[in-house]
Amino acid sequence: MNFDSHYTPAEQPVATAHARHVFSIGLPASASPSERRFPLTPEAVGILVERGFSVDIESGAAEPIHYTDNQYAAAGARIVDRATALRNDIVIHLAAMKQTDIRQMRRGALLFTLFDIENQSFDAIRSLLQHGIIAIAIDLIQDSQGNYPFADILAEIDGRASIATASSLLADSIHGKGILLGGVAGVIPCEVTILGSGIAACAAARSAAGLGALVRMFDDDVYALRRASRELGSWLVGSSMHPRVLDSALRTADVVIVTPMQRHVSISTESVNLMKRGVITFDLTESRNTFPSIPYVDLAHASPVDNSMTAPRRVCYTNAGSAVPRTAAMALSDTFTTTLYNLISCEGITNAIKLLPGLQKAVYTFLGKAVNSQIAAKVNTRRVDISIYLTLS
């Protein structure tokens, strides 16, 4: 039989795929000793690589959260030097960037960082503008319900970390009082006084109560205080910030935690002098000047400080989240993977900023323009409305 006369080759379908732009992500090590938190764990890097991103991490960048370069390499990241990590489409660096680092970034690159207006230098902001960097403050990003996913999770960690640290310091028999916060039958529990009633305050209150402490919460925002009382339960002792009532609580408190509030509060020297010897104080606000008469200790690089009853002075602890950087990294990773996936869904950075109002509000420099009023004031320039440029682009 002649097979050629019976069978004619037919065209066969060939699988085709549309090439999708792959964003590259750079993870340089923190340039600030006060910022030990890291944005992505190896597990999060693995998820992003599967979704089409490429990830470059500076060698040793994740040492503060006790992950090795090999763990990131196994997840699909490239281990590179700092300059290479900075030359990516997207750079994630939580601390305020230095001018020398910004100069090594690609023109028009995207920078995810914390707003941290106090540490934003004039020269660094100028470099962001000159290089056309799209800088987004993660703590200003909102979701569709108006929540702040990055800021809220970091605030919750700060609140819980402050109680965990306070409990450890109080229990230290050499540098502390050698006492527990509470929970022992027949022993009066410690008193925790919290100023503010937001996420950080509620997280601290919940942790303190779980350890058996007596918790008092103060806030001039009565509605916020009412919401906190409903959320936490009847065990919470809540009050407006009447001076005499507050001074009475400060006088007997073993732990004092100041959290963000609508109105900044400054605790006077007279009120501080009323406080116990050995009291543990925390300032979780951005200003970090609630106790002007007390020296501050950064928990990112703190050594044991004498908080015993015979200590010659009191200290105030700050930067509580950096005392638990690995927990912060896990929490940030979850939120970053969602945010970065939105860039793919929206088919580009500019489109994502256009389509996601909550992301747009967090942009502070955009292609050479200062689009945030505080940033513009920092470099003595006029703020530009970002919506004008998004409409034209």
Side-chain angles (χ1 to χ4, degrees):
M1 177 181 291
N2 185 353
F3 290 96
D4 292 340
S5 61
H6 294 280
Y7 297 98
T8 303
E11 294 181 357
Q12 298 296 315
V14 177
T16 60
H18 295 286
R20 182 179 66 184
H21 176 67
V22 177
F23 290 106
S24 62
I25 301 173
L27 301 173
S30 176
S32 169
S34 293
E35 185 53 81
R36 295 180 56 81
R37 297 170 297 187
F38 197 69
L40 296 175
T41 62
E43 293 80 6
V45 166
I47 292 171
L48 292 171
V49 170
E50 288 179 0
R51 290 178 176 175
F53 292 91
S54 63
V55 180
D56 288 349
I57 179 171
E58 182 183 351
S59 179
E63 286 181 0
I65 59 171
H66 305 291
Y67 282 116
T68 65
D69 290 345
N70 287 340
Q71 289 173 292
Y72 281 93
R78 289 196 314 160
I79 310 303
V80 299
D81 59 20
R82 186 171 189 82
T84 304
L86 290 166
R87 287 195 299 270
N88 279 271
D89 300 325
I90 302 168
V91 174
I92 307 177
H93 186 272
L94 300 182
M97 291 284 283
K98 294 183 178 180
Q99 183 185 29
T100 52
D101 285 338
I102 296 170
R103 286 176 173 174
Q104 297 184 72
M105 294 176 64
R106 292 180 180 176
R107 295 192 66 84
L110 174 63
L111 170 66
F112 280 113
T113 184
L114 292 167
F115 191 50
D116 195 11
I117 187 64
E118 296 297 325
N119 290 315
Q120 296 272 10
S121 72
F122 178 93
D123 291 336
I125 296 172
R126 277 295 181 190
S127 290
L128 289 173
L129 298 174
Q130 291 166 2
H131 285 71
I133 304 298
I134 301 174
I136 297 180
I138 61 170
D139 44 335
L140 300 184
I141 294 175
Q142 293 179 261
D143 62 16
S144 57
Q145 285 77 44
N147 302 308
Y148 293 83
F150 286 97
D152 290 350
I153 192 63
L154 292 177
E156 183 176 0
I157 291 170
D158 282 348
R160 289 192 176 275
S162 63
I163 291 298
T165 304
S167 177
S168 176
L169 291 171
L170 285 173
D172 189 329
S173 61
I174 298 175
H175 298 101
K177 293 182 176 181
I179 60 174
L180 295 174
L181 274 174
V184 178
V187 178
I188 296 175
C190 288
E191 297 183 18
V192 177
T193 294
I194 301 172
L195 276 60
S197 55
I199 290 176
C202 289
R206 191 177 288 108
S207 293
L211 293 172
L214 172 66
V215 182
R216 292 188 174 91
M217 183 177 286
F218 291 82
D219 200 332
D220 275 339
D221 186 339
V222 177
Y223 288 97
L225 193 61
R226 183 180 292 120
R227 287 193 297 270
S229 297
R230 288 174 178 171
E231 177 185 341
L232 297 172
S234 58
W235 53 263
L236 179 71
V237 180
S239 172
S240 297
M241 295 183 65
H242 300 294
R244 289 186 179 179
V245 179
L246 178 58
D247 281 347
S248 177
L250 292 175
R251 184 181 292 109
T252 58
D254 298 283
V255 180
V256 178
I257 302 173
V258 182
T259 66
M261 293 178 284
Q262 288 186 347
R263 180 175 64 87
H264 175 67
V265 173
S266 180
I267 306 299
S268 67
T269 302
E270 291 75 15
S271 294
V272 168
N273 289 337
L274 294 174
M275 294 160 61
K276 291 180 179 179
R277 287 290 177 184
V279 64
I280 309 294
T281 62
F282 292 86
D283 189 346
L284 306 185
T285 66
E286 290 184 2
S287 61
R288 299 179 182 178
N289 61 356
T290 305
F291 298 93
S293 62
I294 303 179
Y296 273 51
V297 174
D298 190 334
L299 285 170
H301 41 79
S303 56
V305 176
D306 191 357
N307 289 290
S308 63
M309 298 294 289
T310 59
R313 63 176 185 175
R314 302 177 180 89
V315 297
C316 180
Y317 294 96
T318 188
N319 200 12
S322 278
V324 288
R326 185 156 172 160
T327 295
M330 293 175 181
L332 286 170
S333 292
D334 294 337
T335 314
F336 265 122
T337 51
T338 301
T339 302
L340 292 167
Y341 185 66
N342 287 337
L343 298 182
I344 295 178
S345 302
C346 296
E347 299 183 350
I349 295 170
T350 303
N351 279 341
I353 295 172
K354 277 184 182 180
L355 298 173
L356 302 172
L359 187 65
Q360 186 180 135
K361 293 176 182 178
V363 180
Y364 62 87
T365 65
F366 183 77
L367 302 179
K369 303 295 180 182
V371 295
N372 176 282
S373 57
Q374 289 178 274
I375 291 294
K378 195 90 174 184
V379 291
N380 302 316
T381 190
R382 184 172 60 88
R383 172 190 171 273
V384 177
D385 188 349
I386 189 175
S387 61
I388 297 174
Y389 291 92
L390 292 175
T391 302
L392 297 175
S393 61

